[in-house]
Amino acid sequence: MKTPRSGREISKKWLEYILREHKAATDSSTLLQVDNFTVRKDLGDGYNSQVIFFNVETTEKNEANSPDVKKTYSLVAKLLNEETGSRVFATKFKINLKEYLVYTDLINTFNKILTEKAPEESLISLPKLIYGKCTKNDFVLVMENVENAGYETNDKCKGLDSEQLMATVDKIARIHALSYVFCETSDTSKYLSLPRIDEYFDIIIIMIEGMLENTIDFLKSSKETEELGKKIKLSLPSLKERTFNLMSSNSLFKCIIHGDFWNNNFMFKYADTPDEQRIIEDIMVIDWGNSSLGVPLFDLQYLIYSSTQRCIRKEHLDKALSHYHSTFTTITTKLGCPLSNWGLTELKTDWEKGYPVGFLLSCTLVLGTLSTTNPFSKRQISEPSILDKPFLLPVTVLLDAMKLGMAKVFMALTFSLREKQLFKKVMKMAMKKLMTPILEELKSGKNEAMNTRILDLIYEADENGLFST
């Protein structure tokens, strides 16, 4: 069965196929037909994939003579991005395969370890997988829409409050602890062969530099911040070197990390209480396409600096680090794999070493996700074009092949020339130009949430001496 490439291509026939496959895994006698389905026009957040929401109405029966049962499925599908360049990038770095392995294997393995060795500990929540496929040419994950179970995302402009921060720190500490035990005790060959973050750091840094150069231009546009902009400019080579050294270091222990652990990639479920308090009952971690072998504090730095406001960090950072360490060591000890010689003092030392990572990535993420000029922030499923007509299928196939070929050539050139200074300079200039609308928005001061968050990150880093080297 051909996998849809977009929301436009989702069909009744395909939906019947995947739902029958899902039912067959639990009850082979179930008869199912799709009566109707609706696809939402708005797309979820996704840089490397399409996130599509749809509802499916079915008629089902367990036996030939049993009464019909009407059911409605609320589902979410992840597909590769329609844009050819993004598809090639995702395939090159196996972003689709990483997420497929997490949903079909890794989290189940983590939970099995917990069930066997520490059954009193809560399991890692993940949206229920309905259907998955990952081959050379096809990728799709279809999951239950957990919004219907009461899970919700937090407002990225506000960031996490203190309770949300502690809950997410607890969650990532548990995931890291399980990952560490898994890496120490199990066959990890299928995961360790996947691309690591540090393997394409020089590609990532081009985007980071482009965004930071625009930030520096913004600072230089005002007399109050001009000197600070110059200071960051001078410290940038040192920041990049320290970031790369941490990400590629062999002196720090590693495990499978999430890789993109920020505000929009976890969902909160709140308990029903008589006084309507917002008590967190569970957290669902989603979007695992950047997971890889790495330094666990990468996730923690990324979380805290990208997803909290400065006042929260000032009041709760030390408590958050202590809670992370306590949770991590408790779980690893319970599972028989305590990490020796890594006390709270060592964690805080590693935290200070990793500060450049938190600063650079969080500046980039805050600007990229809070800007109203971001083309990913208001996307909808595009309307059918004339090329979707069946009689023009040969033309569509030819054009797709040409686009794919050009994208692969560009990607090959990128990797073959990425060590060349001229190539880096040209790419950085192109990235900076692409991000010019964000610079203009910064200068306008109209996006208060974005300007406040980016300036707070910069002022905080300056006070902490990050730009002094």
Side-chain angles (χ1 to χ4, degrees):
M1 175 64 66
K2 183 181 177 183
T3 301
R5 296 197 307 170
S6 69
R8 300 191 310 272
E9 296 185 5
I10 291 177
S11 65
K12 177 181 176 181
K13 184 177 180 181
W14 181 73
L15 291 172
E16 283 184 338
Y17 171 77
I18 66 169
L19 288 174
R20 286 170 180 171
E21 287 280 305
H22 171 65
K23 286 291 184 179
T26 55
D27 186 355
S28 58
S29 64
T30 299
L31 303 174
L32 178 150
Q33 71 176 36
V34 171
D35 301 322
N36 189 33
F37 70 94
T38 54
V39 180
R40 269 169 42 182
K41 284 192 174 183
D42 60 305
L43 297 171
D45 288 334
Y47 288 86
N48 299 313
S49 61
Q50 298 177 75
V51 182
I52 301 166
F53 304 90
F54 52 100
N55 293 324
V56 186
E57 298 172 8
T58 67
T59 299
E60 302 176 23
K61 58 175 66 179
N62 291 329
E63 298 175 357
N65 296 322
S66 64
D68 292 346
V69 177
K70 299 289 185 178
K71 285 191 176 182
T72 300
Y73 295 85
S74 182
L75 304 175
V76 179
K78 293 199 76 170
L79 304 170
L80 288 177
N81 205 308
E82 277 195 281
E83 198 276 312
T84 307
S86 296
R87 293 174 68 90
V88 171
F89 181 86
T91 305
K92 171 71 177 178
F93 293 114
K94 300 184 180 179
I95 290 170
N96 51 341
L97 178 58
K98 291 178 182 182
E99 191 146 34
Y100 179 81
L101 287 174
V102 168
Y103 273 87
T104 59
D105 185 87
L106 187 64
I107 299 301
N108 289 335
T109 301
F110 285 0
N111 285 335
K112 184 178 179 181
I113 293 172
L114 272 181
T115 301
E116 291 176 352
K117 298 184 177 181
E120 71 280 5
E121 296 290 341
S122 58
L123 301 179
I124 304 300
S125 301
L126 202 65
K128 183 178 180 181
L129 183 65
I130 301 298
Y131 176 78
K133 184 179 182 181
C134 185
T135 65
K136 182 179 179 181
N137 299 315
D138 279 338
F139 168 73
V140 63
L141 287 173
V142 179
M143 302 154 280
E144 285 186 338
N145 185 351
V146 294
E147 291 176 337
N148 283 14
Y151 288 87
E152 59 186 78
T153 53
N154 182 58
D155 185 346
K156 64 183 178 182
C157 292
K158 292 181 180 179
L160 305 175
D161 61 28
S162 57
E163 288 79 12
Q164 291 168 331
L165 172 62
M166 297 307 294
T168 50
V169 166
D170 182 86
K171 179 64 69 173
I172 197 61
R174 292 175 181 275
I175 291 172
H176 287 164
L178 283 163
S179 173
Y180 174 74
V181 172
F182 172 70
C183 289
E184 290 293 304
T185 61
S186 307
D187 179 12
T188 59
S189 56
K190 71 170 99 174
Y191 302 101
L192 302 188
S193 62
L194 296 177
R196 303 186 310 272
I197 291 176
D198 58 280
E199 290 182 18
Y200 48 95
F201 174 78
D202 49 353
I203 302 296
I204 296 173
I205 205 65
I206 292 174
M207 181 178 69
I208 292 174
E209 281 190 272
M211 197 73 84
L212 206 59
E213 288 282 358
N214 274 346
T215 305
I216 291 168
D217 288 346
F218 159 63
L219 295 172
K220 289 182 177 179
S221 67
S222 169
K223 288 187 177 180
E224 294 180 358
T225 55
E226 183 179 5
E227 289 303 315
L228 185 53
K230 293 177 181 178
K231 197 174 183 180
I232 297 174
K233 180 75 171 179
L234 290 173
S235 67
L236 187 53
S238 173
L239 292 176
K240 291 192 299 180
E241 182 180 1
R242 290 163 67 187
T243 298
F244 177 74
N245 288 343
L246 178 84
M247 292 170 65
S248 58
S249 173
N250 290 320
S251 61
L252 300 174
F253 78 92
K254 295 184 179 182
C255 60
I256 297 172
I257 62 174
H258 182 276
D260 196 15
F261 197 66
W262 77 287
N263 187 91
N264 279 26
N265 285 339
F266 34 82
M267 302 178 73
F268 296 96
K269 184 176 183 180
Y270 298 91
D272 293 327
T273 57
D275 52 3
E276 298 185 354
Q277 292 186 57
R278 301 278 284 175
I279 299 175
I280 299 170
E281 184 179 285
D282 190 26
I283 299 177
M284 189 86 70
V285 181
I286 58 176
D287 201 357
W288 289 80
N290 286 315
S291 58
S292 67
L293 184 71
V295 178
L297 289 188
F298 177 96
D299 279 343
L300 198 58
Q301 287 274 353
Y302 197 59
L303 164 71
I304 290 178
Y305 286 108
S306 72
S307 304
T308 63
Q309 297 191 37
R310 188 180 182 184
C311 59
I312 295 293
R313 296 193 292 274
K314 184 176 181 179
E315 294 180 19
H316 301 281
L317 176 59
D318 194 66
K319 182 180 177 183
L321 295 180
S322 297
H323 185 70
Y324 176 91
H325 183 265
S326 174
T327 303
F328 182 93
T329 53
T330 297
I331 296 297
T332 52
T333 300
K334 277 188 176 183
L335 299 179
C337 285
L339 183 63
S340 60
N341 303 320
W342 199 63
L344 183 58
T345 300
E346 284 74 22
L347 180 149
K348 290 184 176 180
T349 299
D350 293 341
W351 176 262
E352 291 301 322
K353 290 179 182 177
Y355 191 16
V357 175
F359 174 75
L360 290 177
L361 290 175
S362 297
C363 283
T364 303
L365 187 74
V366 164
L367 293 176
T369 57
L370 297 190
S371 173
T372 60
T373 68
N374 185 344
F376 289 94
S377 62
K378 294 182 179 180
R379 295 187 305 161
Q380 288 193 337
I381 295 175
S382 57
E383 296 296 328
S385 72
I386 190 171
L387 291 176
D388 291 327
K389 301 293 184 181
F391 71 91
L392 288 176
L393 179 61
V395 177
T396 304
V397 171
L398 179 60
L399 288 174
D400 286 347
M402 291 174 63
K403 289 179 183 178
L404 183 62
M406 292 172 65
K408 287 183 175 179
V409 169
F410 177 77
M411 186 65 69
L413 284 173
T414 298
F415 276 83
S416 63
L417 300 176
R418 61 181 176 169
E419 297 299 327
K420 305 294 183 183
Q421 290 302 317
L422 178 60
F423 178 78
K424 288 183 178 181
K425 186 176 181 180
V426 171
M427 288 295 294
K428 188 171 71 172
M429 289 174 60
M431 188 62 65
K432 185 178 177 181
K433 183 70 174 177
L434 185 66
M435 296 171 181
T436 297
I438 298 178
L439 173 60
E440 296 304 318
E441 188 175 18
L442 277 171
K443 289 181 177 179
S444 74
K446 294 179 180 179
N447 188 335
E448 184 179 352
M450 180 177 72
N451 282 49
T452 299
R453 290 280 284 280
I454 194 68
L455 286 171
D456 277 351
L457 283 168
I458 291 169
Y459 288 142
E460 182 180 5
D462 188 40
E463 288 179 11
N464 291 336
L466 188 62
F467 311 134
S468 62
T469 55

